[in-house]
Amino acid sequence: MADIRLLKLHCMNGDIRLPGDKSVSHRAAMLASIADGTSIIKNFSSAIDCQSTLDCMRQLGADIRRSGQDIIVHGKGLRTLSEPGDILNCGNSGTTMRLLCGLLAGQDFSAVLTGDASLRRRPMDRIIKPLVNNGADISGEKDNRYAPLTIIGKVLLNIHYELPVASSQVKSAVLLAGLWAGGDVSVVEPIVTRDHTERMLVYCGVDVSRDENVINLGGNRQPVAREFVVPGDISSAAFLIALGLLVPGSQLCLKDVGINPTRTGLLTVLEKMGADIRIANERLVSNEPIGDLIVRNATFKAVDIGGALIPKLIDELPLIAVIATQAQGRTVVHDAHELRVKESDRIAAIVAELKKMGASIEETSDGFIVDGPTPLKGAECSRYDDHRIAMALSVAGWIADGETVIKDADCVGISFPEFYSLVKGLQ
Ligand code: S3P
């Protein structure tokens, strides 16, 4: 695998379009496969994780083809899927594994799901419990906590679940299982998490309603085929936003980025910090809000980040640690325990690596504390088998004095294969 060597950047300028959102792409591939009719998915994510979803769906009998930049899916309705001939490999993708558990719980066949070493270390009891308590038959390793998972399809009736952790993956799995359930389906979400599944189900004609923090499925549960235009991925855009803010003299325009309010916690935080970001050309595409983000280099101050904001920026927190090293004052991130069970323990990873680069950062049980501004210095960094750690550390490397080496940096392909080439094009 290739190591990447980075030196300080001096100016970033230009307009770009980001590849499609990973969360939305997973859901579009799954819903199009079980829709009635032919769907077209435009700007489908180039992430390896989304390729894992396409591969699994094909093994489950979905008719998915590429036509130039588009994905064409011929769905035959809720009975499209069939028993796979082999184990389904979800690779590094937690979203693929957890949403597939929902999709497969109510089928009339069995399947086994596995993943890479990182995914096999991630908690799966959070998905097994709600489904099994509502009639599904799913088992896993080590007391039903880890993959590989065996799913024996069962007839599902009523499904009711109150989420103990704020997780869109769990909410989505329960809602997807509900499409095959014969009775009432509701999910209670104490803290709002990303709502792409609900939006997409509505876009495909399924009865979904929200009453405060309760999401209900109504009578019509057969998705219809649609054209899906996937918004640019705000979690990938985040790294470019950070470079636009941190590299002196920069101005970037990121076009057609998803600005779903359940995903824009980073923008909320940056606004509080006093950063210069403008949103233009706001509109709704395939029931998802999108817009252009105009980012300029500026100075900014520290903030406190916790509570209901956390799910809206969970994937951006390692990057926020990097940004906070350049903010005036003390940034405190709390209520972010979930960061410890992502592709790596992201609290431990980002704190250890930023310390190597000279940052003043300390780990807490549910987050970190950063004092800034501190000049960073180049270092040799590990990426902990985690794409977002590799990209956050790359941003740190591009603002540090001296050379930074990111080991095995091609892991960025898990979510954003174009990362290094896009940044090069903006220099
Ligand atoms: C995702 C939800 C989040 C996020 C992950 C993608 C999704 O995880 O961290 O990268 O597509 O639903 P949780 O829902 O487990 O918090």
Side-chain angles (χ1 to χ4, degrees):
M1 284 209 202
D3 295 346
I4 282 256
R5 292 174 183 278
L6 307 167
L7 290 171
K8 196 172 213 163
L9 291 180
H10 291 292
C11 188
M12 297 273 293
N13 266 298
D15 293 7
I16 51 163
R17 260 193 184 82
L18 275 303
D21 186 88
K22 187 157 82 77
S23 289
V24 175
S25 296
H26 285 299
R27 289 157 170 81
M30 290 183 189
L31 279 194
S33 297
I34 54 161
D36 213 355
T38 299
S39 295
I40 301 178
I41 312 176
K42 295 182 181 279
N43 199 33
F44 189 81
S45 167
S46 48
I48 293 172
D49 270 4
C50 294
Q51 188 58 46
S52 296
T53 290
L54 292 181
D55 293 344
C56 290
M57 294 311 295
R58 284 196 183 107
Q59 273 183 267
L60 286 161
D63 181 350
I64 301 177
R65 298 163 203 213
R66 277 195 188 266
S67 165
Q69 298 295 311
D70 301 340
I71 306 264
I72 313 286
V73 187
H74 298 289
K76 293 196 288 289
L78 289 175
R79 287 292 157 207
T80 298
L81 305 181
S82 55
E83 182 149 318
D86 208 340
I87 292 173
L88 301 172
N89 190 348
C90 304
N92 191 245
S93 176
T95 310
T96 306
M97 181 170 277
R98 295 190 176 124
L99 269 56
L100 276 181
C101 284
L103 213 63
L104 297 177
Q107 304 291 336
D108 53 8
F109 57 81
S110 304
V112 177
L113 303 181
T114 192
D116 68 8
S118 151
L119 188 54
R120 283 184 276 115
R121 281 194 298 269
R122 296 181 65 187
M124 291 300 150
D125 42 344
R126 60 179 56 194
I127 212 81
I128 296 179
K129 276 185 196 150
L131 294 170
V132 166
N133 290 349
N134 284 288
D137 183 347
I138 306 181
S139 54
E141 295 295 299
K142 299 193 183 117
D143 214 9
N144 294 329
R145 284 184 296 140
Y146 299 104
L149 306 177
T150 302
I151 306 171
I152 300 173
K154 284 273 173 285
V155 174
L156 305 175
L157 296 168
N158 298 322
I159 303 184
H160 297 290
Y161 191 62
E162 180 164 348
L163 295 176
V165 278
S167 166
S168 174
Q169 293 177 347
V170 177
K171 169 179 70 175
S172 301
V174 174
L175 289 173
L176 289 175
L179 297 179
W180 284 269
D184 296 340
V185 175
S186 66
V187 185
V188 184
E189 173 174 66
I191 298 183
V192 175
T193 65
R194 61 188 71 186
D195 65 356
H196 305 302
T197 304
E198 300 92 298
R199 282 175 178 271
M200 199 177 285
L201 285 170
V202 168
Y203 182 64
C204 293
V206 174
D207 284 343
V208 185
S209 58
R210 178 182 269 276
D211 184 4
E212 300 206 341
N213 58 356
V214 186
I215 303 142
N216 290 294
L217 277 190
N220 182 13
R221 299 187 187 171
Q222 172 59 67
V224 294
R226 296 295 309 252
E227 177 182 286
F228 301 89
V229 181
V230 181
D233 195 324
I234 188 156
S235 294
S236 299
F239 299 102
L240 302 173
I241 293 172
L243 287 172
L245 291 174
L246 295 170
V247 176
S250 296
Q251 176 163 336
L252 296 176
C253 177
L254 311 175
K255 296 206 174 281
D256 302 337
V257 179
I259 48 170
N260 179 320
T262 61
R263 292 284 299 281
T264 49
L266 175 70
L267 301 183
T268 309
V269 162
L270 291 176
E271 195 183 316
K272 277 197 207 153
M273 292 174 116
D276 186 356
I277 302 183
R278 205 160 49 79
I279 303 179
N281 204 11
E282 273 186 64
R283 62 217 189 272
L284 205 62
V285 172
S286 306
N287 206 24
E288 284 284 347
I290 70 168
D292 301 341
L293 304 179
I294 298 126
V295 187
R296 284 194 197 86
N297 170 240
T299 53
F300 41 93
K301 57 182 195 305
V303 280
D304 181 277
I305 304 169
L309 196 52
I310 295 293
K312 298 189 170 86
L313 46 65
I314 186 77
D315 291 340
E316 283 63 74
L317 283 170
L319 178 67
I320 287 175
V322 176
I323 296 172
T325 66
Q326 305 309 304
Q328 183 71 47
R330 171 166 283 194
T331 295
V332 181
V333 170
H334 50 98
D335 304 324
H337 327 71
E338 276 294 298
L339 264 193
R340 294 206 183 267
V341 291
K342 294 293 176 185
E343 285 82 330
S344 69
D345 176 342
R346 287 182 172 163
I347 296 178
I350 200 67
V351 170
E353 298 308 298
L354 283 178
K355 270 190 176 166
K356 279 191 200 164
M357 299 182 79
S360 172
I361 179 165
E362 292 304 329
E363 187 172 335
T364 62
S365 61
D366 63 348
F368 46 81
I369 299 172
V370 187
D371 287 305
T374 321
L376 298 179
K377 55 180 195 306
E380 185 170 310
C381 294
S382 325
R383 49 50 165 155
Y384 294 77
D385 270 330
D386 186 329
H387 52 122
R388 295 203 203 278
I389 294 295
M391 289 187 279
L393 292 173
S394 298
V395 170
W398 278 315
I399 59 167
D401 292 323
E403 187 183 69
T404 295
V405 181
I406 311 284
K407 305 295 286 175
D408 305 335
D410 34 10
C411 70
V412 304
I414 287 294
S415 65
F416 193 7
E418 305 80 354
F419 177 58
Y420 291 109
S421 58
L422 280 182
V423 172
K424 203 164 180 201
L426 293 166
Q427 289 168 37

